């Protein structure tokens, strides 16, 4: 579903995240934003036996944006640190590669308390899993679902970007001999439940 950028939406600093649509283009502003922090997730499906998975945005959201100016965000790069048992478990099923797509909703709230909700898809490309019990990093990109033109940021001050506490998607395992994919419905929840869901803070000046 495409976001509708009507007049009320344009008055929300929340629409800054619509700039994620620039993921497909050339970005000029990719510095990490102040306030980035690591969020930890528990993989509920297909398995809840793994340890918590730390995830953070590592680049793509600017530290500051100019008041009344178009927003330039992207590419947004996300890294997830996978539990040391993920590789051996995957290989025990005859698979040596893994990819994933997760859908989530972000909430962007400006300094006046006006907010908007935006659907985002995070894609992790096919990655080889280790054969031994070691952690490995899963690196993907995040993009706004749908299309749209981001209005300018309207309200000066700090803008908070948070994420809903549950994400859903599909994890795909690839057979090490044939390369055939095997898809698994997936769900991850923020753990502990009272964890602050803040992804980043941007200063509108």
């Amino acid at each position: 579903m495409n976001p509708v950028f009507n007049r009320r939406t344009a008055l929300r600093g929340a629409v800054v995240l619509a700039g994620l649509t620039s993921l497909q283009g050339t970005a000029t502003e990719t510095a990490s934003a102040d306030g980035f922090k690591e969020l930890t997730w528990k993989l509920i499906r297909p398995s809840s036996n793994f340890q918590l998975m730390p995830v953070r945005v590592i680049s793509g959201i600017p530290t500051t944006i100019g008041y009344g100016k178009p927003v330039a965000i992207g590419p947004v790069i996300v890294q997830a640190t996978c539990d040391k048992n993920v590789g051996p478990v995957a290989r025990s099923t005859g698979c040596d590669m893994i990819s994933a797509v997760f859908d989530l909703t972000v909430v962007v709230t400006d300094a006046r308390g006006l907010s908007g909700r935006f659907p985002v898809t995070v894609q992790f490309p096919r990655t080889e899993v280790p054969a031994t019990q070691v952690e490995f990093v899963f690196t993907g990109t995040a993009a706004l679902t749908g299309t749209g033109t981001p209005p300018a940021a309207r309200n000066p001050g700090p803008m908070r970007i948070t994420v809903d506490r549950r994400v859903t998607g599909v994890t795909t395992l690839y057979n090490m001999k044939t390369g055939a994919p095997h898809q698994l419905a997936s769900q991850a929840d923020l753990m502990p439940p009272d964890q602050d869901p803040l992804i980043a803070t941007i200063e509108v000046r």
Side-chain angles (χ1 to χ4, degrees):
M1 180 176 68
N2 294 341
V4 178
F5 295 106
N6 53 30
R7 184 175 182 277
R8 177 171 177 78
T9 305
L11 293 176
R12 299 174 178 173
V15 296
V16 62
L17 204 70
L20 282 169
T21 54
S22 66
L23 185 66
Q24 303 303 322
T26 300
T28 58
E29 197 171 11
T30 58
S32 293
D34 290 340
F36 275 13
K37 72 179 186 65
E38 194 171 77
L39 297 178
T40 55
W41 299 82
K42 181 69 173 179
L43 189 63
I44 306 301
R45 292 198 313 261
S47 172
S48 60
N49 297 324
F50 298 128
Q51 296 298 312
L52 297 180
M53 180 172 60
V55 179
R56 70 188 299 263
V57 174
I58 62 170
S59 67
I61 303 179
T63 302
T64 62
I65 56 178
Y67 169 72
K69 295 183 178 180
V71 178
I73 295 181
V76 176
I77 308 301
V78 180
Q79 282 190 341
T81 302
C82 296
D83 178 73
K84 65 182 181 180
N85 292 315
V86 171
V89 169
R91 286 178 178 267
S92 71
T93 66
C95 299
D96 61 349
M97 307 281 285
I98 187 172
S99 67
V101 177
F102 280 94
D103 296 314
L104 55 95
T105 300
V106 295
V107 180
V108 188
T109 306
D110 71 9
R112 289 184 57 196
L114 299 176
S115 65
R117 297 174 61 84
F118 298 92
V120 171
T121 297
V122 182
Q123 294 185 319
F124 294 95
R126 188 184 302 197
T127 302
E128 184 175 3
V129 298
T132 58
Q133 286 188 311
V134 294
E135 292 183 345
F136 70 98
V137 175
F138 213 14
T139 301
T141 54
L144 186 73
T145 302
T147 60
T149 302
R154 299 295 179 182
N155 296 310
M159 180 182 295
R160 286 173 50 91
I161 303 176
T162 60
V163 64
D164 274 1
R165 297 181 179 277
R166 172 167 295 180
V167 300
T168 58
V170 175
T171 300
T172 304
L173 300 174
Y174 300 87
N175 186 281
M176 65 179 65
K177 292 182 179 180
T178 66
H182 176 60
Q183 294 186 329
L184 301 170
S186 301
Q187 175 187 311
D189 293 352
L190 271 181
M191 291 290 178
D194 59 352
Q195 184 178 183
D196 183 358
L198 178 71
I199 298 173
T201 302
I202 300 175
E203 189 70 25
V204 180
R205 297 178 178 174

